Amino acid sequence: MAKATIKEVAAEADVSTATVSRVLNESGYVSEEIKERVLEAVTKLNYQPSAIARSLKQDKTFTIGVVVPDISNPYFMGISRGIEDVVGVEGFQLTFCSSDESPEKESRLIQLLREKRVDAIVLATSGGNDEAVRALADSGVPVVLIDRKLDSEDAGRELDLVAEDNEDGASRLTAKLLRDGHVRIGVVNGPVRVSTGRERYDGVLRAMKEFGLDPNPLVFNGGFTTEDGIRAVRKFLQADPRPTAIVSLNNRMSLGVLLEIVRSGLRIPDDIAVASFGEVEAGSLLKNPGLYYIDQHPYDMGTKAGEILLKRIRKEDSPQAEPVVELFRNEVNRIG
């Protein structure tokens, strides 16, 4: 059965196509009697408005692209849900993309979303795409950076940003271990090409300097994966002397750290202490874990990003308005 057209709906309701359009888009005055006739015709003919036609007419696709390194990570899932809960009530849908920490894949995804004419893009960058992101923003597409900054401060200076105060958080997290008397610390970090990797590591060094220690910890730079946390612990346990504490600067890597410590027959914190940038749900399953962690709030970050997106799409601010920079300061907590 062929799909009904707006002309057929208009004929059934004995009105013009313009009137049908006003009723469906809730724009302009239409009497209650005519509105009822149009809606009855829509129901009778099972008419489905064309999203493509609507987007061309309104110059909107009502779609927002979200590019993150790993959409399966609970942290980025929380951010995405926060965005969706804000923009969804305005009729916008999200298109999710995972870059897998690959700058090359991220570049392709940005181009794909641009070709699909999304109304805005939220980006947690894997690095290396400053030029493409700037070109996108210069073309008029609103870009909100989430969790991570661009490589160059100049490139990201005019873009909205919602992120954590990474250096401050990592510094306070490391300080907890130092106050407990640990001076030999192993650091599990992500790739330094990413702003979170650079800033969190800087926070570790800052804390060590403030405690009068030589800022030269054992370091394992991974890729924000559970497997990297496992490999880091194996490396640290072979060191002589081995560290008495580990600070892991990503929740996925922290899970790997906990798994490998348990597999090695060691106890937390008696044999080795652990501090994680981000809560690890499995940590609560350990007996007397004494695990420090930064309490992140990805959902709140997502809702803030969603609010910024709607303002940009609606063009509520002038082009000369300063970009929004929202840095979340999270607290250090302890399990056990």
Side-chain angles (χ1 to χ4, degrees), residues 158-200:
E158 298 178 5
L159 299 178
D160 298 313
L161 170 70
V162 179
E164 295 170 316
D165 193 336
N166 289 296
E167 182 175 341
D168 177 72
S171 177
R172 288 185 291 113
L173 184 66
T174 305
K176 288 289 188 180
L177 296 175
L178 298 175
R179 289 193 186 96
D180 287 345
H182 298 284
V183 295
R184 180 70 168 166
I185 294 177
V187 182
V188 189
N189 196 17
V192 292
R193 72 169 186 276
V194 178
S195 64
T196 48
R198 297 191 299 271
E199 292 172 350
R200 292 176 187 178

Side-chain angles (χ1 to χ4, degrees), residues 220 222-223 225-236 256 260:
F220 181 94
T225 67
T226 301
E227 292 73 20
D228 286 323
I230 293 171
R231 285 191 282 267
V233 172
R234 290 174 180 170
K235 173 185 174 180
F236 295 157
E260 188 59 22

Side-chain angles (χ1 to χ4, degrees), residues 149 156-157 159-163 304 308 322-327:
K149 303 174 184 177
R157 195 179 302 280
L159 299 178
D160 298 313
L161 170 70
V162 179
K304 182 61 181 181
I308 296 171
E322 290 293 317
V324 176
V325 177
E326 185 79 18
L327 294 182

